[in-house]
Amino acid sequence: MWTSWEKIKVPRGATAIASPRLPSPKPSSLKDVRGPLDEPSSPSIARRLSPKAVLHCVRSASSVLRSWRSSPPPPPSPRAEKRIVLYFTSLRVVRKTFEDCRFVRSILRGHRVAVDERDVSMDAGFLGELDRNVGRRRGVTTLPQVFIGGRHVGGADEILQLHETGELRRYVEGVAPVPAGSCDGCGGVRFVICATCGGSHKCCSHKGGAGVFRSCPACNENGLVRCPHCRTSPAI
């Protein structure tokens, strides 16, 4: 169909010029808005977010920030030092869990503050600590889990949201800076081989005249003990 033409009114003595009647622009719809959302977003914690997941993350971040502002963390006791405790695993058995733990560790280390890293794969006692602190009350079974100043912050999603909004920097204020260099006793591993059993987790008992091997009471199931030079309090 040909475009309709109309004659424009012009002053007397001027030449009338025909001009096409252009269609009025249509109001933008939801399809015009979905364009930016349909573009591939940057991977977050080793996965790509869909438009629905992006909106969910925005709502979750707003909810987390509102709850933190309404109930700020309690000030540390004059005798207690404010610190960060991270429960994580260094095993690569579950890829997502391992990548989440590595991602959270890199975020916390980027703030240049001291972090008490408790690897549950090195000592199963850490898993018991985590269960006693939040597991039975909130059903927390995933790793990593972060505590700041004695308060449970959450896992990888919560740390990512606080980091992206800049709120995480405010909550790590007051934490001791990361010490220079590594520990002379363990080299930063935080564990050393048990001197009692030599790392075998077995001790020979000669009670009753016969030698019987028993579990070493001085170390964990891996034959390791916490480094005495950099060991911290087991409390959160």
Side-chain angles (χ1 to χ4, degrees):
M1 180 180 291
W2 292 94
T3 306
S4 59
W5 294 71
E6 66 176 354
K7 185 174 295 183
I8 301 176
K9 295 181 179 180
V10 296
R12 181 177 299 179
T15 304
I17 302 175
S19 174
R21 181 182 299 173
L22 300 178
S24 59
K26 296 182 180 180
S28 59
S29 61
L30 292 178
K31 294 182 180 180
D32 302 327
V33 183
R34 292 192 59 182
L37 295 180
D38 291 338
E39 296 178 2
S41 57
S42 58
S44 173
I45 316 180
R47 64 177 184 270
R48 293 185 177 274
L49 298 178
S50 62
K52 184 179 295 184
V54 171
L55 298 178
H56 175 71
C57 289
V58 173
R59 296 192 186 100
S60 300
S62 301
S63 176
V64 171
L65 294 178
R66 284 196 300 268
S67 63
W68 275 72
R69 291 192 181 101
S70 60
S71 57
S77 172
R79 297 183 179 180
E81 181 183 4
K82 183 179 180 181
R83 57 178 177 161
I84 302 175
V85 178
L86 168 64
Y87 290 92
F88 74 104
T89 179
S90 58
L91 293 180
R92 299 172 180 259
V93 177
V94 181
R95 180 177 180 180
K96 181 182 182 303
T97 300
F98 172 76
E99 291 181 349
D100 286 354
C101 292
R102 184 177 60 178
F103 186 76
V104 170
R105 290 178 71 191
S106 64
I107 289 179
L108 296 177
R109 290 181 176 181
H111 288 272
R112 305 300 299 170
V113 292
V115 180
D116 184 3
E117 299 179 352
R118 303 183 180 183
D119 190 350
V120 300
S121 61
M122 298 287 286
D123 192 342
F126 292 149
L127 196 58
E129 291 178 8
L130 181 61
D131 182 70
R132 288 191 299 269
N133 291 321
V134 294
R136 297 177 182 176
R137 178 163 51 90
R138 299 186 182 181
V140 176
T141 56
T142 60
L143 293 172
Q145 294 297 325
V146 180
F147 292 81
I148 301 178
R151 179 178 179 179
H152 181 220
V153 179
D157 292 336
E158 290 76 12
I159 295 298
L160 174 62
Q161 292 164 5
L162 293 175
H163 173 67
E164 290 182 343
T165 56
E167 291 290 323
L168 184 60
R169 182 176 300 277
R170 184 164 66 92
Y171 290 103
V172 301
E173 292 180 355
V175 179
V178 60
S182 58
C183 176
D184 295 334
C186 63
V189 183
R190 299 182 183 273
F191 286 92
V192 294
I193 296 177
C194 177
T196 304
C197 64
S200 63
H201 192 50
K202 296 294 182 181
C203 291
C204 182
S205 176
H206 297 280
K207 292 183 179 180
V212 179
F213 285 95
R214 302 181 184 276
S215 298
C216 178
C219 60
N220 59 20
E221 68 280 1
N222 296 319
L224 303 174
V225 295
R226 299 290 298 274
C227 177
H229 300 283
C230 60
R231 180 174 181 175
T232 57
S233 172
I236 298 297

